[in-house]
Amino acid sequence: MEEVPINHMKTKPHNRKVVIEIKLLKKSFGDQEVLKEISLDLYDGENLVILGKSGSGKSVLIKCIVGLLNADSGIIRILGQNIPDLQSKELSLIREKIGFLFQSGALYDSMTVRENLEFPLRKKKDIFTKEQVDKKVLEALNHVGLTDELDKMPAQLSGGMRKRVSLARTIVTNPLIMLYDEPTTGLDPVTSEEISMLINDVQKKYKTSSIIITHDIKCALLTADRIIMLKDGEIYKEGAPENFENSSDAYAKSFFK
Amino acid sequence: MNPNTDYMEIMNSVRSKTFTFFEEIADIFTFIQVIIKETFSRDFEFKEFFYQCFQIGYKTLPLIAITGTIMGLVLTIQSRPVLADFGAVSMLPGMIAVSLIREMGPVITALICAGKIGSGIGAELSSMKVTEQIDAMELSSTNPIRYLVVTRILAATLMLPVLVLYADLLGILGSWAGANIKGDVTFILFFSQAFSHVGFIDFIPAFIKTFLFGAVIGFVGSYKGYHAGKGTASVGEAAHSSVVQASLLIIIVDMIAVQITDMFI
Ligand SMILES: Nc1ncnc2c1ncn2[C@@H]1O[C@H](COP(=O)(O)OP(=O)(O)O)[C@@H](O)[C@H]1O
Ligand SMILES: [Mg+2]
């Protein structure tokens, strides 16, 4: 078998804290092995892009990270705690520190934009007053530039606006870690670029560490500090964005078409 | 062709079918277990529960009003000639009341609600599942079973008896209208004649089974919605199978309830 070029050493910011540590993560559905021993680390403050074609197991990977899917084996340590070992109470404490942007946006379509943004804060009534919640909601919407749409229903918004509202809903809780599942899929190039810029803004403003999962190379290059390429459930190549742009590897090149 | 491989193929398909059947049974019991646990958990979602009562109860009233009235009217018009042949027209109000309260009211209301409420729950929850809204809810520290499923099942269980009572009353009203097409009887007289034949023994078992019908509708809709597959096609599938299976279960529960009632009377 051909040696897979992995240039760990160049890009790992050694002085930084590890926020998410994944070791030998495996996940199968029936006979289908979707993830075969994935190991990776997310460092504090970085934007890590996981690049892979459709069906390569990207969504399965981040759903395992937040415990929406149970991994078959392996370690998933977030802020020092191993997700598979946690009881539901500890798990929900960890989940409060994570923002998850779903591929489909996952806005509650029976609720207005305002109710959608208030929803993640509904169990915090003893911590935040009504005014504080209102302020947080407006702040988050302001960040994505949609304060005028407060009382609209999701169905009345365009695809790009829905993505922004869901981004606002994930940042309303001030997460430490952001997980983006194909944030630009299904959007036109201009809107995609806007969303990519927003991802960078979130990283700067909220000091988050993020995993961005995508097959959109433009989004990857705009947002990534580091890229990991996934192929058939395994890590195929890892490195700084420049290494991918100038790569002679046929598989890596295929993303640039 | 080798008959042996044919046989093996059939055996394999039977085996995989029975396996999924038992798997589904196990799944249903796990689901029931989780629902019971979440029903008695500390933070009950009162707001969503009352909202669902409004959706399931209040919004179904017009449909039930029309069905109930027509049921009583038609039943009266159909049975009047038969009773006239036996010279028993005076029995008409009592007979209608008893058959409405014991059987027609509960079962027909429940079947209509399986169509409206069951499919509604199935479609709503499955579309939430397919578009990852249920996952999103779970991540924002809200238990989706507690928030979505428990509230809907309880609302259906409590609202169905109310809807059935409403259908019974309007059915008797419709019956009075039917009796007035030929003949002339005041509503008060008709009503008192009707209820002089109705005892607790007609009312109580019928009333109890309406709770069961409501629980069946809420449960089947939630189960089908919550276990929807991927893609938009599974929304239609969930709505459809909610109606079919809830209707079938209602008839079966009715049969069992009637047998049990019969043993004690
Ligand atoms: N819940 C599931 N049950 C069975 N198979 C699944 C499930 N989720 C994902 N898969 C399979 O895992 C593979 C990877 O899926 P996914 O992670 O969604 O891909 P993507 O990289 O496009 O996000 C696909 O082949 C898919 O069919
Ligand atoms: Mg995906």
Side-chain angles (χ1 to χ4, degrees), chain A residues 63 66 68 89 92 95-96 100 102-111 119-120 122-123 169 181, chain B residues 42-43 45 51 124 127-128 130-143 146-147 230:
Chain A
K63 285 189 177 163
V66 288
L68 282 175
K89 216 176 209 159
S92 67
R95 281 171 172 174
E96 280 176 17
F100 195 116
F102 285 88
Q103 188 165 346
S104 58
L107 290 177
Y108 306 123
D109 39 35
S110 59
M111 302 180 197
F119 198 88
R122 59 196 287 275
K123 294 278 157 154
R169 188 180 66 184
D181 191 355
Chain B
R42 269 188 311 125
D43 7 51
E45 303 280 358
Y51 178 69
E124 188 186 12
S127 82
M128 290 187 78
V130 168
T131 58
E132 300 175 309
Q133 291 174 52
I134 291 184
D135 286 342
M137 200 169 269
E138 184 157 356
L139 291 188
S140 53
S141 53
T142 294
N143 184 316
R146 200 181 299 163
Y147 188 84
K230 290 186 162 189

Side-chain angles (χ1 to χ4, degrees), chain B:
Chain B
M1 207 174 167
N2 184 351
N4 207 22
T5 54
D6 256 14
Y7 171 76
M8 286 308 287
E9 231 162 60
I10 292 168
M11 277 316 289
N12 275 337
S13 88
V14 168
R15 200 162 58 197
S16 78
K17 273 206 188 91
T18 50
F19 188 60
T20 51
F21 173 76
F22 287 120
E23 265 183 338
E24 179 146 19
I25 298 282
D27 223 36
I28 289 171
F29 276 102
T30 323
F31 198 57
I32 293 175
Q33 205 183 327
V34 175
I35 289 170
I36 291 173
K37 182 176 150 243
E38 295 303 335
T39 304
F40 297 102
S41 79
R42 269 188 311 125
D43 7 51
F44 184 77
E45 303 280 358
F46 281 103
K47 203 175 151 210
E48 178 69 10
F49 169 71
F50 289 124
Y51 178 69
Q52 287 306 322
C53 286
F54 174 77
Q55 286 287 325
I56 289 172
Y58 184 74
K59 292 227 167 148
T60 318
L61 283 179
L63 184 64
I64 296 304
I66 296 169
T67 329
T69 315
I70 293 178
M71 201 161 57
L73 182 80
V74 169
L75 205 58
T76 306
I77 294 173
Q78 293 276 41
S79 38
R80 191 188 176 97
V82 184
L83 289 178
D85 283 349
F86 292 107
V89 178
S90 63
M91 293 293 289
L92 186 75
M95 194 204 83
I96 299 288
V98 168
S99 59
L100 272 179
I101 287 169
R102 276 197 167 200
E103 197 57 33
M104 304 288 283
V107 170
I108 290 189
T109 307
L111 290 178
I112 298 245
C113 288
K116 183 173 189 292
I117 300 166
S119 70
I121 296 175
E124 188 186 12
L125 294 194
S126 59
S127 82
M128 290 187 78
K129 172 89 177 180
V130 168
T131 58
E132 300 175 309
Q133 291 174 52
I134 291 184
D135 286 342
M137 200 169 269
E138 184 157 356
L139 291 188
S140 53
S141 53
T142 294
N143 184 316
I145 298 266
R146 200 181 299 163
Y147 188 84
L148 298 170
V149 175
V150 169
T151 52
R152 279 164 180 73
I153 294 180
L154 278 186
T157 309
L158 293 183
M159 286 300 113
L160 212 84
V162 177
L163 292 170
V164 168
L165 283 182
Y166 190 61
D168 287 350
L169 283 177
L170 283 164
I172 290 168
L173 193 69
S175 170
W176 169 66
N180 258 347
I181 294 173
K182 290 181 182 169
D184 189 18
V185 50
T186 65
F187 184 66
I188 304 287
L189 181 64
F190 188 87
F191 209 74
S192 62
Q193 274 180 353
F195 277 91
S196 64
H197 290 269
V198 179
F200 270 110
I201 209 69
D202 299 310
F203 183 72
I204 297 297
F207 192 61
I208 291 172
K209 76 183 173 192
T210 59
F211 285 96
L212 293 179
F213 292 162
V216 163
I217 292 169
F219 179 80
V220 174
S222 304
Y223 179 80
K224 289 290 166 188
Y226 213 83
H227 290 79
K230 290 186 162 189
T232 38
S234 47
V235 175
E237 167 67 22
H240 168 247
S241 58
S242 301
V243 177
V244 174
Q245 300 198 10
S247 306
L248 189 64
L249 262 177
I250 284 167
I251 301 289
I252 294 172
V253 168
D254 186 51
M255 182 188 74
I256 296 170
V258 168
Q259 297 289 328
I260 292 175
T261 316
D262 212 41
M263 284 197 297
F264 290 102
I265 297 169

Side-chain angles (χ1 to χ4, degrees), chain A residues 6-208:
Chain A
I6 297 181
N7 22 11
H8 278 294
M9 291 313 155
K10 256 186 237 164
T11 49
K12 270 196 180 172
H14 275 291
N15 46 347
R16 286 199 184 162
K17 204 173 75 183
V18 176
V19 183
I20 297 181
E21 182 188 5
I22 296 174
K23 280 219 175 90
L24 302 174
L25 171 62
K26 277 200 208 177
K27 176 75 186 171
S28 311
F29 292 105
D31 301 336
Q32 184 193 7
E33 261 191 308
V34 178
L35 301 176
K36 307 163 191 163
E37 306 207 325
I38 299 268
S39 298
L40 59 87
D41 293 324
L42 174 71
Y43 294 93
D44 191 24
E46 77 168 334
N47 273 353
L48 170 64
V49 166
I50 296 180
L51 197 60
K53 301 233 158 114
S54 183
S56 57
K58 305 185 298 293
S59 297
V60 171
L61 173 63
I62 45 172
K63 285 189 177 163
C64 286
I65 294 179
V66 288
L68 282 175
L69 287 172
N70 290 324
D72 296 339
S73 66
I75 290 171
I76 304 162
R77 217 171 264 138
I78 301 184
L79 303 169
Q81 282 180 291
N82 189 21
I83 296 300
D85 295 341
L86 296 183
Q87 300 299 312
S88 64
K89 216 176 209 159
E90 301 158 317
L91 188 59
S92 67
L93 282 179
I94 278 280
R95 281 171 172 174
E96 280 176 17
K97 304 190 173 91
I98 303 173
F100 195 116
L101 185 69
F102 285 88
Q103 188 165 346
S104 58
L107 290 177
Y108 306 123
D109 39 35
S110 59
M111 302 180 197
T112 64
V113 168
R114 182 201 295 273
E115 288 164 343
N116 261 286
L117 266 76
E118 284 172 353
F119 198 88
L121 300 169
R122 59 196 287 275
K123 294 278 157 154
K124 298 266 166 68
K125 290 216 177 80
D126 43 340
I127 306 175
F128 301 124
T129 62
K130 180 87 185 74
E131 286 73 34
Q132 281 171 313
V133 169
D134 282 348
K135 192 164 154 268
K136 275 174 172 290
V137 166
L138 276 177
E139 205 177 87
L141 271 185
N142 189 32
H143 187 79
V144 299
L146 283 178
T147 34
D148 294 341
E149 321 297 334
L150 204 55
D151 294 309
K152 287 207 175 136
M153 298 303 282
Q156 296 170 289
L157 304 174
S158 70
M161 286 159 123
R162 290 162 65 98
K163 263 284 157 63
R164 288 169 188 232
V165 172
S166 15
L167 180 56
R169 188 180 66 184
T170 49
I171 58 180
V172 82
T173 54
N174 292 345
L176 296 172
I177 299 166
M178 283 292 299
L179 305 175
Y180 300 90
D181 191 355
E182 309 217 8
T184 58
T185 299
L187 302 176
D188 61 81
V190 179
T191 318
S192 296
E193 197 171 321
E194 285 168 6
I195 298 285
S196 304
M197 288 322 190
L198 274 177
I199 292 174
N200 287 338
D201 289 348
V202 169
Q203 180 196 20
K204 283 198 199 80
K205 182 164 178 220
Y206 292 86
K207 305 271 180 285
T208 52

